[in-house]
Amino acid sequence: MPDNANQNYMPLESKKESDNGAIVTRRRALMMGAVTASAIVSIKPALAQTAGSVLNCEIPVPGNHAAGGFIGPDGKIVSPDTPGAFPPAGRNFTGEEVKRAMNGRSLPGTSYDQSKAYVNYIRRLQSGQSGFTCYASLQMPR
């Protein structure tokens, strides 16, 4: 027999190992498919929960950075003795309440002008201020 005739010969044990390797590879592929499918199933509820949490997040008026300040009609923080200024809201507003107010309704427990001033304040929020993350998430398209 020529020397190269043994090139295609594979001992039974090696062949068994080779087959086991293929089985393991198929098993892994099936397991990865199952993991991927379960990840997709678990992401959808998480997105729904995120949408719900956006509407339940809270925005203080004014936030901690301006505690004790009043809100001017333009939404700026002003001193309590400023004419036309509104006192702090006394409670946080939810994302859902703010979203409705931004679409023309009044914030709960406020007059029309007071609500307008509070919404102006909320629109002026910047990164790092209390309520900014909630306000920014309200601006994200769904």
Side-chain angles (χ1 to χ4, degrees):
M1 219 156 127
D3 286 336
N4 63 358
N6 288 335
Q7 286 179 347
N8 293 332
Y9 171 75
M10 188 178 287
L12 185 56
E13 288 178 19
S14 296
K15 186 169 174 108
K16 200 174 196 181
E17 287 174 23
S18 176
D19 286 344
N20 283 341
I23 290 171
V24 170
T25 302
R26 276 184 247 142
R27 276 190 197 140
R28 282 190 183 157
L30 289 171
M31 286 173 30
M32 288 301 292
V35 168
T36 303
S38 68
I40 290 169
V41 169
S42 64
I43 288 172
K44 283 189 177 188
L47 291 175
Q49 184 179 5
T50 302
S53 66
V54 166
L55 297 178
N56 292 323
C57 63
E58 294 188 344
I59 301 175
V61 177
N64 297 338
H65 67 282
F70 275 42
I71 310 296
D74 60 356
K76 291 182 181 176
I77 303 297
V78 296
S79 64
D81 59 349
T82 304
F86 298 98
R91 75 173 189 90
N92 296 346
F93 296 106
T94 66
E96 187 171 7
E97 292 168 338
V98 170
K99 191 171 187 172
R100 278 191 238 135
M102 292 174 78
N103 289 325
R105 298 184 72 186
S106 290
L107 289 166
T110 65
S111 68
Y112 174 78
D113 290 332
Q114 189 176 20
S115 179
K116 214 169 143 187
Y118 290 171
V119 169
N120 286 338
Y121 165 81
I122 292 167
R123 285 189 171 123
R124 297 173 67 85
L125 286 173
Q126 295 178 0
S127 180
Q129 295 178 330
S130 301
F132 173 77
T133 304
C134 182
Y135 171 66
S137 61
L138 292 173
Q139 303 304 307
M140 297 285 213
R142 303 228 190 284

PDB file of all heavy atoms in Angstrom, residues 62 66 69-79 82 85-86 117-118 120-122 124:
ATOM      1  N   PRO A  62     -40.362  73.296  41.866  1.00  0.00           N
ATOM      2  CA  PRO A  62     -39.039  73.193  41.247  1.00  0.00           C
ATOM      3  C   PRO A  62     -38.277  71.999  41.813  1.00  0.00           C
ATOM      4  O   PRO A  62     -38.654  71.449  42.839  1.00  0.00           O
ATOM      5  CB  PRO A  62     -38.369  74.499  41.634  1.00  0.00           C
ATOM      6  CG  PRO A  62     -38.953  74.849  42.957  1.00  0.00           C
ATOM      7  CD  PRO A  62     -40.384  74.350  42.887  1.00  0.00           C
ATOM      8  N   ALA A  66     -33.320  74.141  42.899  1.00  0.00           N
ATOM      9  CA  ALA A  66     -33.944  75.454  43.088  1.00  0.00           C
ATOM     10  C   ALA A  66     -34.942  75.444  44.246  1.00  0.00           C
ATOM     11  O   ALA A  66     -35.918  76.188  44.233  1.00  0.00           O
ATOM     12  CB  ALA A  66     -34.643  75.864  41.799  1.00  0.00           C
ATOM     13  N   GLY A  69     -37.309  78.367  45.641  1.00  0.00           N
ATOM     14  CA  GLY A  69     -37.577  79.373  44.628  1.00  0.00           C
ATOM     15  C   GLY A  69     -39.003  79.290  44.116  1.00  0.00           C
ATOM     16  O   GLY A  69     -39.681  78.276  44.247  1.00  0.00           O
ATOM     17  N   PHE A  70     -39.491  80.390  43.574  1.00  0.00           N
ATOM     18  CA  PHE A  70     -40.809  80.432  42.944  1.00  0.00           C
ATOM     19  C   PHE A  70     -40.610  80.314  41.439  1.00  0.00           C
ATOM     20  O   PHE A  70     -39.498  80.460  40.935  1.00  0.00           O
ATOM     21  CB  PHE A  70     -41.518  81.749  43.292  1.00  0.00           C
ATOM     22  CG  PHE A  70     -42.257  81.716  44.612  1.00  0.00           C
ATOM     23  CD1 PHE A  70     -41.718  81.122  45.739  1.00  0.00           C
ATOM     24  CD2 PHE A  70     -43.513  82.293  44.720  1.00  0.00           C
ATOM     25  CE1 PHE A  70     -42.399  81.094  46.937  1.00  0.00           C
ATOM     26  CE2 PHE A  70     -44.201  82.268  45.908  1.00  0.00           C
ATOM     27  CZ  PHE A  70     -43.647  81.671  47.026  1.00  0.00           C
ATOM     28  N   ILE A  71     -41.695  80.062  40.729  1.00  0.00           N
ATOM     29  CA  ILE A  71     -41.622  79.892  39.282  1.00  0.00           C
ATOM     30  C   ILE A  71     -42.239  81.106  38.608  1.00  0.00           C
ATOM     31  O   ILE A  71     -43.411  81.425  38.833  1.00  0.00           O
ATOM     32  CB  ILE A  71     -42.389  78.619  38.823  1.00  0.00           C
ATOM     33  CG1 ILE A  71     -41.976  77.396  39.644  1.00  0.00           C
ATOM     34  CG2 ILE A  71     -42.201  78.385  37.334  1.00  0.00           C
ATOM     35  CD1 ILE A  71     -40.545  76.979  39.495  1.00  0.00           C
ATOM     36  N   GLY A  72     -41.445  81.779  37.776  1.00  0.00           N
ATOM     37  CA  GLY A  72     -41.965  82.911  37.015  1.00  0.00           C
ATOM     38  C   GLY A  72     -42.813  82.417  35.845  1.00  0.00           C
ATOM     39  O   GLY A  72     -42.741  81.250  35.469  1.00  0.00           O
ATOM     40  N   PRO A  73     -43.627  83.302  35.258  1.00  0.00           N
ATOM     41  CA  PRO A  73     -44.481  82.903  34.132  1.00  0.00           C
ATOM     42  C   PRO A  73     -43.700  82.311  32.953  1.00  0.00           C
ATOM     43  O   PRO A  73     -44.226  81.481  32.221  1.00  0.00           O
ATOM     44  CB  PRO A  73     -45.169  84.201  33.714  1.00  0.00           C
ATOM     45  CG  PRO A  73     -45.091  85.083  34.908  1.00  0.00           C
ATOM     46  CD  PRO A  73     -43.833  84.691  35.632  1.00  0.00           C
ATOM     47  N   ASP A  74     -42.431  82.710  32.805  1.00  0.00           N
ATOM     48  CA  ASP A  74     -41.594  82.192  31.707  1.00  0.00           C
ATOM     49  C   ASP A  74     -40.903  80.878  32.069  1.00  0.00           C
ATOM     50  O   ASP A  74     -40.172  80.316  31.261  1.00  0.00           O
ATOM     51  CB  ASP A  74     -40.567  83.230  31.295  1.00  0.00           C
ATOM     52  CG  ASP A  74     -39.636  83.630  32.426  1.00  0.00           C
ATOM     53  OD1 ASP A  74     -39.826  83.149  33.579  1.00  0.00           O
ATOM     54  OD2 ASP A  74     -38.705  84.414  32.167  1.00  0.00           O
ATOM     55  N   GLY A  75     -41.108  80.396  33.307  1.00  0.00           N
ATOM     56  CA  GLY A  75     -40.515  79.142  33.746  1.00  0.00           C
ATOM     57  C   GLY A  75     -39.192  79.291  34.462  1.00  0.00           C
ATOM     58  O   GLY A  75     -38.614  78.308  34.903  1.00  0.00           O
ATOM     59  N   LYS A  76     -38.708  80.494  34.604  1.00  0.00           N
ATOM     60  CA  LYS A  76     -37.450  80.720  35.313  1.00  0.00           C
ATOM     61  C   LYS A  76     -37.687  80.711  36.820  1.00  0.00           C
ATOM     62  O   LYS A  76     -38.761  81.065  37.295  1.00  0.00           O
ATOM     63  CB  LYS A  76     -36.835  82.057  34.904  1.00  0.00           C
ATOM     64  CG  LYS A  76     -36.332  82.065  33.475  1.00  0.00           C
ATOM     65  CD  LYS A  76     -35.689  83.402  33.146  1.00  0.00           C
ATOM     66  CE  LYS A  76     -35.213  83.414  31.705  1.00  0.00           C
ATOM     67  NZ  LYS A  76     -34.663  84.726  31.325  1.00  0.00           N
ATOM     68  N   ILE A  77     -36.658  80.334  37.547  1.00  0.00           N
ATOM     69  CA  ILE A  77     -36.714  80.370  39.005  1.00  0.00           C
ATOM     70  C   ILE A  77     -36.494  81.815  39.445  1.00  0.00           C
ATOM     71  O   ILE A  77     -35.547  82.471  39.003  1.00  0.00           O
ATOM     72  CB  ILE A  77     -35.612  79.480  39.627  1.00  0.00           C
ATOM     73  CG1 ILE A  77     -35.727  78.048  39.129  1.00  0.00           C
ATOM     74  CG2 ILE A  77     -35.658  79.531  41.149  1.00  0.00           C
ATOM     75  CD1 ILE A  77     -37.004  77.350  39.497  1.00  0.00           C
ATOM     76  N   VAL A  78     -37.397  82.304  40.286  1.00  0.00           N
ATOM     77  CA  VAL A  78     -37.325  83.687  40.756  1.00  0.00           C
ATOM     78  C   VAL A  78     -37.484  83.713  42.275  1.00  0.00           C
ATOM     79  O   VAL A  78     -37.872  82.719  42.894  1.00  0.00           O
ATOM     80  CB  VAL A  78     -38.414  84.566  40.087  1.00  0.00           C
ATOM     81  CG1 VAL A  78     -38.175  84.659  38.581  1.00  0.00           C
ATOM     82  CG2 VAL A  78     -39.800  84.034  40.373  1.00  0.00           C
ATOM     83  N   SER A  79     -37.230  84.851  42.862  1.00  0.00           N
ATOM     84  CA  SER A  79     -37.390  84.981  44.315  1.00  0.00           C
ATOM     85  C   SER A  79     -38.885  85.044  44.664  1.00  0.00           C
ATOM     86  O   SER A  79     -39.711  85.437  43.826  1.00  0.00           O
ATOM     87  CB  SER A  79     -36.661  86.230  44.820  1.00  0.00           C
ATOM     88  OG  SER A  79     -37.250  87.385  44.278  1.00  0.00           O
ATOM     89  N   THR A  82     -41.230  88.101  43.762  1.00  0.00           N
ATOM     90  CA  THR A  82     -41.389  88.515  42.370  1.00  0.00           C
ATOM     91  C   THR A  82     -42.871  88.557  41.996  1.00  0.00           C
ATOM     92  O   THR A  82     -43.593  87.579  42.205  1.00  0.00           O
ATOM     93  CB  THR A  82     -40.654  87.541  41.421  1.00  0.00           C
ATOM     94  OG1 THR A  82     -39.283  87.456  41.819  1.00  0.00           O
ATOM     95  CG2 THR A  82     -40.753  87.989  39.983  1.00  0.00           C
ATOM     96  N   ALA A  85     -45.170  85.600  40.209  1.00  0.00           N
ATOM     97  CA  ALA A  85     -44.502  84.310  40.369  1.00  0.00           C
ATOM     98  C   ALA A  85     -45.412  83.340  41.132  1.00  0.00           C
ATOM     99  O   ALA A  85     -46.262  83.756  41.915  1.00  0.00           O
ATOM    100  CB  ALA A  85     -43.186  84.478  41.111  1.00  0.00           C
ATOM    101  N   PHE A  86     -45.219  82.064  40.862  1.00  0.00           N
ATOM    102  CA  PHE A  86     -46.043  81.030  41.495  1.00  0.00           C
ATOM    103  C   PHE A  86     -45.211  80.239  42.503  1.00  0.00           C
ATOM    104  O   PHE A  86     -44.032  79.978  42.267  1.00  0.00           O
ATOM    105  CB  PHE A  86     -46.607  80.076  40.433  1.00  0.00           C
ATOM    106  CG  PHE A  86     -47.511  80.776  39.457  1.00  0.00           C
ATOM    107  CD1 PHE A  86     -47.023  81.191  38.220  1.00  0.00           C
ATOM    108  CD2 PHE A  86     -48.838  81.046  39.781  1.00  0.00           C
ATOM    109  CE1 PHE A  86     -47.842  81.850  37.325  1.00  0.00           C
ATOM    110  CE2 PHE A  86     -49.661  81.707  38.879  1.00  0.00           C
ATOM    111  CZ  PHE A  86     -49.162  82.119  37.655  1.00  0.00           C
ATOM    112  N   ALA A 117     -46.832  78.205  33.571  1.00  0.00           N
ATOM    113  CA  ALA A 117     -45.529  78.549  34.147  1.00  0.00           C
ATOM    114  C   ALA A 117     -44.758  77.286  34.515  1.00  0.00           C
ATOM    115  O   ALA A 117     -43.556  77.170  34.237  1.00  0.00           O
ATOM    116  CB  ALA A 117     -45.710  79.439  35.373  1.00  0.00           C
ATOM    117  N   TYR A 118     -45.437  76.316  35.119  1.00  0.00           N
ATOM    118  CA  TYR A 118     -44.788  75.065  35.498  1.00  0.00           C
ATOM    119  C   TYR A 118     -44.307  74.294  34.264  1.00  0.00           C
ATOM    120  O   TYR A 118     -43.215  73.743  34.254  1.00  0.00           O
ATOM    121  CB  TYR A 118     -45.725  74.188  36.324  1.00  0.00           C
ATOM    122  CG  TYR A 118     -46.016  74.694  37.730  1.00  0.00           C
ATOM    123  CD1 TYR A 118     -46.991  74.094  38.504  1.00  0.00           C
ATOM    124  CD2 TYR A 118     -45.328  75.758  38.292  1.00  0.00           C
ATOM    125  CE1 TYR A 118     -47.271  74.526  39.786  1.00  0.00           C
ATOM    126  CE2 TYR A 118     -45.599  76.212  39.577  1.00  0.00           C
ATOM    127  CZ  TYR A 118     -46.571  75.580  40.327  1.00  0.00           C
ATOM    128  OH  TYR A 118     -46.835  76.018  41.593  1.00  0.00           O
ATOM    129  N   ASN A 120     -43.514  75.628  31.401  1.00  0.00           N
ATOM    130  CA  ASN A 120     -42.357  76.388  30.908  1.00  0.00           C
ATOM    131  C   ASN A 120     -41.107  76.041  31.709  1.00  0.00           C
ATOM    132  O   ASN A 120     -40.014  75.907  31.148  1.00  0.00           O
ATOM    133  CB  ASN A 120     -42.620  77.893  30.968  1.00  0.00           C
ATOM    134  CG  ASN A 120     -43.580  78.357  29.896  1.00  0.00           C
ATOM    135  OD1 ASN A 120     -43.747  77.694  28.870  1.00  0.00           O
ATOM    136  ND2 ASN A 120     -44.233  79.480  30.131  1.00  0.00           N
ATOM    137  N   TYR A 121     -41.276  75.892  33.032  1.00  0.00           N
ATOM    138  CA  TYR A 121     -40.143  75.484  33.881  1.00  0.00           C
ATOM    139  C   TYR A 121     -39.629  74.105  33.448  1.00  0.00           C
ATOM    140  O   TYR A 121     -38.426  73.905  33.297  1.00  0.00           O
ATOM    141  CB  TYR A 121     -40.574  75.445  35.361  1.00  0.00           C
ATOM    142  CG  TYR A 121     -39.590  74.702  36.226  1.00  0.00           C
ATOM    143  CD1 TYR A 121     -38.427  75.328  36.678  1.00  0.00           C
ATOM    144  CD2 TYR A 121     -39.789  73.366  36.554  1.00  0.00           C
ATOM    145  CE1 TYR A 121     -37.501  74.636  37.449  1.00  0.00           C
ATOM    146  CE2 TYR A 121     -38.873  72.664  37.313  1.00  0.00           C
ATOM    147  CZ  TYR A 121     -37.735  73.310  37.756  1.00  0.00           C
ATOM    148  OH  TYR A 121     -36.815  72.619  38.505  1.00  0.00           O
ATOM    149  N   ILE A 122     -40.559  73.178  33.246  1.00  0.00           N
ATOM    150  CA  ILE A 122     -40.189  71.805  32.867  1.00  0.00           C
ATOM    151  C   ILE A 122     -39.464  71.805  31.521  1.00  0.00           C
ATOM    152  O   ILE A 122     -38.469  71.102  31.338  1.00  0.00           O
ATOM    153  CB  ILE A 122     -41.434  70.891  32.852  1.00  0.00           C
ATOM    154  CG1 ILE A 122     -41.948  70.714  34.286  1.00  0.00           C
ATOM    155  CG2 ILE A 122     -41.140  69.555  32.199  1.00  0.00           C
ATOM    156  CD1 ILE A 122     -43.326  70.096  34.404  1.00  0.00           C
ATOM    157  N   ARG A 124     -37.560  73.981  30.407  1.00  0.00           N
ATOM    158  CA  ARG A 124     -36.236  74.582  30.573  1.00  0.00           C
ATOM    159  C   ARG A 124     -35.265  73.664  31.327  1.00  0.00           C
ATOM    160  O   ARG A 124     -34.098  74.012  31.500  1.00  0.00           O
ATOM    161  CB  ARG A 124     -36.351  75.905  31.333  1.00  0.00           C
ATOM    162  CG  ARG A 124     -37.171  76.960  30.599  1.00  0.00           C
ATOM    163  CD  ARG A 124     -37.400  78.192  31.481  1.00  0.00           C
ATOM    164  NE  ARG A 124     -36.169  78.903  31.737  1.00  0.00           N
ATOM    165  CZ  ARG A 124     -35.640  79.813  30.930  1.00  0.00           C
ATOM    166  NH1 ARG A 124     -36.251  80.116  29.806  1.00  0.00           N
ATOM    167  NH2 ARG A 124     -34.514  80.408  31.234  1.00  0.00           N
TER     168      ARG A 124
END
